[in-house]
Amino acid sequence: ILVLDGDGNRLAGKYYGDFMKAASPSSPENGASSGAAAADSSSADNATAAQSVEQLRASFERQLQSKIGGIAARPDAAEVVTVLGKTAVFCGGSAPNQGGGGGGAGDVRIVHIGPSGESELVLAHLVEGMYDALGQLMGGATDRNMILDNLELVFLLIDEHCDGGVILETDGHKLSSSVLLRDEQESRMGEMGMEGQGGGG
């Protein structure tokens, strides 16, 4: 699940499972290395793997943007593209002739990506529900600045929509209500924590 601005920059998003992960570096053929050397090698391999995973995802997102850039998908009619054998379905965006803002100031896009065999209709239903919820949470303004100002709500929305790759809710109204309720509960818990720390005199 990705939330991209008009230039294809990731504003928020989550990858689940082994999706878009590079193969881990091969282990040494001889297992006779010392423990310290193995630990150093392992931490270096982990850092390299993490860096290459992020590079792989960034490359995928650039290719995705090259396909969907300039396409505006209505909130109730998601568009479908194929990128590197993956099915990508998105809502939002602004066509080049609509933009007076430039620099990614137009509507953001919500993109759901699945394997090549995934049903486009299912992905479209998911992305339309999430885009509807995002519009409700942002008061109808889904531009880059509004998203960045309310990034916490966007991440809560992703969590309410999908947990560990398992879809929890698709109805836009229920999603936005759940996010607002959870945000209110977290704010209340934070206030109670502050009162508990301040009232110990």
Side-chain angles (χ1 to χ4, degrees):
I1 299 174
L2 297 173
V3 180
L4 305 175
D5 70 9
D7 294 328
N9 301 310
R10 188 193 324 158
L11 304 177
K14 281 194 177 180
Y15 287 91
Y16 299 98
D18 292 333
F19 190 78
M20 293 307 297
K21 282 192 177 176
S24 58
S26 58
S27 55
E29 289 179 10
N30 60 350
S33 59
S34 69
D40 289 346
S41 173
S42 174
S43 63
D45 286 350
N46 288 342
T48 304
Q51 185 179 22
S52 59
V53 166
E54 190 53 41
Q55 289 172 345
L56 187 67
R57 291 174 177 175
S59 172
F60 175 81
E61 290 164 16
R62 282 194 298 273
Q63 292 190 45
L64 175 66
Q65 174 62 16
S66 72
K67 288 214 172 185
I68 67 177
I71 302 174
R74 292 193 344 245
D76 60 344
E79 296 285 341
V80 181
V81 295
T82 302
V83 182
L84 296 178
K86 312 285 187 199
T87 303
V89 181
F90 68 95
C91 279
S94 55
N97 58 2
Q98 290 178 334
D107 276 356
V108 301
R109 291 180 177 91
I110 290 186
V111 186
H112 278 50
I113 304 154
S116 57
E118 187 63 73
S119 166
E120 296 170 2
L121 291 175
V122 170
L123 288 173
H125 180 67
L126 301 178
V127 77
E128 288 166 8
M130 189 172 166
Y131 191 82
D132 180 32
L134 183 70
Q136 292 179 39
L137 290 170
M138 301 296 125
T142 55
D143 62 275
R144 183 179 193 274
N145 293 335
M146 181 65 88
I147 298 297
L148 291 175
D149 288 345
N150 296 282
L151 211 48
E152 184 179 340
L153 291 180
V154 177
F155 279 109
L156 283 174
L157 173 61
I158 292 172
D159 289 343
E160 289 293 325
H161 177 61
C162 185
D163 181 24
V166 177
I167 300 299
L168 302 175
E169 182 59 69
T170 60
D171 181 82
H173 182 69
K174 288 181 182 176
L175 274 169
S176 60
S177 298
S178 297
V179 168
L180 293 174
L181 180 64
R182 193 164 147 193
D183 184 51
E184 185 180 324
Q185 288 172 342
E186 289 182 5
S187 297
R188 206 174 297 145
M189 293 289 284
E191 288 171 8
M192 287 172 59
M194 293 293 284
E195 287 172 8
Q197 290 175 354

